[in-house]
């Protein structure tokens, strides 16, 4: 198992000049409802609109000269792709980003705005990823995983470095879970520097793959239903290092329904005038579900991103 604290500190030194220290905003409305203090870690205000930039930059900055010359390959329909595209442009590294053939025009345009070399394969994300991996291997390039990589996990964990500076006495942290890179990095670092903090993994009930895997004691495959939390949807690759990190460092798990995610997104907009995506609504919904047991605590909710389709958001909040 990787030394998460060391990976996070190394990533912090690499990426700090290129990422924002995102604000920590107190949510008085949520705190009043639960008789505790609640703070929102606003990764929806990060450059490219999500926490994914931290992990992508951490990996790209860790490449040696030969790897940079050969370039990188990634596969993503969302935040990871945007983060990689931005990092490639910023650092002057060549790379390709594979998308399914049915990817939205809006996402394709965003990627091309960062100068990305966008390539298409299949209509199934799993097939798209397999093609991207095969191309990377064939050309001797680095495949940049969204979660299954020590430097990526370290980059996501830099959120916890900021959090400990902003709220040193934090008692409990809630974060959305997909592949586990975010919560693995955050939890691993927090447990090293503040062992008593409780870390709660939050998942949509329509795609609870990591939770099901932890319960089974192995990484499992399971069908996923459509979810507003598309940033956490999908499977976990075999042998993913994040599985052991989640098993070791995450204290509890909460599953939330689609109606709860929708209500959480709307609440954050109404009370804080913040636009968040579905995956960022998941920890808010989870907090509201378990708030009675958090009375008297200092609680941080990581709002992991704000990249939501405009039409989808209007339907949710109007």
């Amino acid at each position: 198992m990787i030394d998460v604290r060391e990976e996070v500190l190394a990533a912090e030194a690499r990426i700090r000049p290129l990422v924002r220290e995102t604000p920590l905003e107190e949510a008085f409305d949520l705190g009043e409802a639960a008789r505790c203090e609640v703070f929102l870690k606003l990764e929806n205000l990060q450059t490219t609109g999500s926490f994914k930039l931290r992990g992508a930059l951490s990996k790209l900055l860790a490449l040696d000269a030969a790897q940079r010359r050969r370039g990188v390959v990634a596969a993503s329909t969302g935040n990871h792709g945007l983060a990689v595209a931005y990092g490639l442009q910023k650092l002057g590294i060549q790379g390709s980003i594979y998308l399914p053939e049915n990817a939205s025009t809006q996402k394709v345009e965003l990627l091309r705005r960062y100068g990305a070399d966008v390539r298409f394969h299949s209509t199934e994300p799993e097939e798209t990823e397999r093609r991207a991996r095969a191309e990377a291997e064939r050309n001797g390039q680095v495949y940049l995983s969204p979660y299954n990589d020590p430097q990526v996990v370290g980059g996501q964990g830099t959120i916890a470095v900021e959090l400990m500076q902003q709220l040193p006495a934090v008692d409990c942290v809630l974060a959305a879970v997909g592949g586990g890179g975010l919560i693995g990095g955050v939890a691993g670092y927090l447990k090293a520097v503040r062992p008593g903090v409780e870390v709660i993994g939050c998942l949509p009930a329509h795609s609870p793959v990591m939770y099901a895997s932890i319960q089974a004691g192995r990484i499992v495959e399971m069908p996923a239903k459509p979810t507003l939390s598309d940033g956490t949807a999908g499977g976990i690759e075999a042998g993913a290092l994040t599985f052991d990190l989640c098993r070791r460092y995450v204290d509890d798990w909460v599953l939330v329904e689609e109606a709860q995610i929708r209500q959480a997104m709307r609440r954050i907009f109404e009370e804080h005038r913040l636009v968040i995506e579905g995956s960022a609504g998941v920890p808010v919904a989870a907090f509201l579900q378990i708030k009675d047991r958090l009375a008297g605590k200092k609680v941080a909710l990581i709002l992991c991103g704000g990249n939501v389709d405009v039409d989808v958001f209007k339907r949710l909040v109007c």
Side-chain angles (χ1 to χ4, degrees):
M1 184 180 294
I2 65 172
D3 186 328
V4 179
R5 180 177 178 275
E6 290 302 313
E7 291 289 351
V8 169
L9 292 177
E12 172 70 17
R14 284 194 296 268
I15 73 174
R16 182 48 52 195
L18 296 174
V19 298
R20 293 173 180 164
E21 178 179 330
T22 54
L24 189 72
E25 177 177 307
E26 187 162 5
F28 294 103
D29 60 306
L30 296 174
E32 184 178 14
R35 302 184 309 283
C36 64
E37 295 177 73
V38 181
F39 300 84
L40 308 176
K41 182 60 172 161
L42 304 184
E43 284 297 296
N44 57 311
L45 302 183
Q46 185 57 261
T47 305
T48 74
S50 89
F51 77 98
K52 291 285 190 179
L53 182 66
R54 297 173 183 268
L57 282 175
S58 175
K59 181 62 178 181
L60 290 171
L61 287 164
L63 299 178
D64 61 33
Q67 290 172 322
R68 289 190 179 208
R69 283 194 301 271
R70 289 192 294 268
V72 303
V73 179
S76 172
T77 59
N79 291 335
H80 177 60
L82 290 174
V84 173
Y86 177 88
L88 293 174
Q89 182 190 63
K90 199 74 175 174
L91 301 176
I93 300 173
Q94 296 299 309
S96 303
I97 299 172
Y98 278 78
L99 301 176
E101 293 167 358
N102 56 356
S104 75
T105 302
Q106 181 183 14
K107 289 176 180 177
V108 174
E109 288 176 353
L110 280 171
L111 287 168
R112 285 181 169 153
R113 195 176 300 165
Y114 287 126
D117 173 22
V118 179
R119 303 183 183 185
F120 299 92
H121 179 75
S122 183
T123 57
E124 297 296 328
E126 293 81 5
E127 286 296 321
T128 306
E129 181 178 338
R130 274 193 281 271
R131 176 61 175 269
R133 285 182 175 277
E135 284 296 297
E137 184 175 349
R138 184 172 67 86
N139 296 320
Q141 297 172 297
V142 171
Y143 178 77
L144 209 166
S145 170
Y147 60 89
N148 189 21
D149 184 283
Q151 284 87 33
V152 171
V153 170
Q156 319 305 26
T158 61
I159 293 171
V161 175
E162 294 178 10
L163 184 59
M164 288 306 301
Q165 294 167 348
Q166 295 165 326
L167 189 66
V170 63
D171 298 306
C172 181
V173 177
L174 284 77
V177 181
L182 170 60
I183 203 163
V186 167
Y189 181 81
L190 289 176
K191 294 294 186 178
V193 301
R194 186 172 169 78
V197 70
E198 182 181 16
V199 180
I200 299 176
C202 311
L203 307 92
H206 280 194
S207 185
V209 183
M210 183 62 82
Y211 171 75
S213 297
I214 296 297
Q215 295 300 110
R218 59 181 176 82
I219 296 174
V220 301
E221 294 184 13
M222 60 186 304
K225 300 177 184 177
T227 174
L228 286 167
S229 183
D230 55 353
T232 65
I236 303 167
E237 67 178 310
L241 63 89
T242 50
F243 173 71
D244 284 336
L245 297 180
C246 288
R247 186 161 54 177
R248 178 172 181 177
Y249 295 123
V250 178
D251 298 295
D252 201 2
W253 303 87
V254 179
L255 274 59
V256 296
E257 300 295 338
E258 294 301 297
Q260 294 174 288
I261 300 172
R262 187 179 304 113
Q263 291 162 5
M265 294 171 70
R266 181 166 186 160
R267 180 167 187 155
I268 292 299
F269 180 74
E270 290 178 341
E271 297 289 344
H272 299 270
R273 289 298 181 261
L274 291 169
V275 175
I276 61 171
E277 61 191 67
S279 54
V282 169
V284 180
F287 168 81
L288 290 169
Q289 184 172 304
I290 65 169
K291 66 181 188 301
D292 291 344
R293 75 172 181 82
L294 299 175
K297 296 185 177 181
K298 294 183 186 293
V299 181
L301 313 180
I302 299 176
L303 303 189
C304 55
N307 292 324
V308 58
D309 182 84
V310 173
D311 292 332
V312 170
F313 189 74
K314 286 189 335 190
R315 287 199 302 271
L316 293 176
V317 302
C318 296

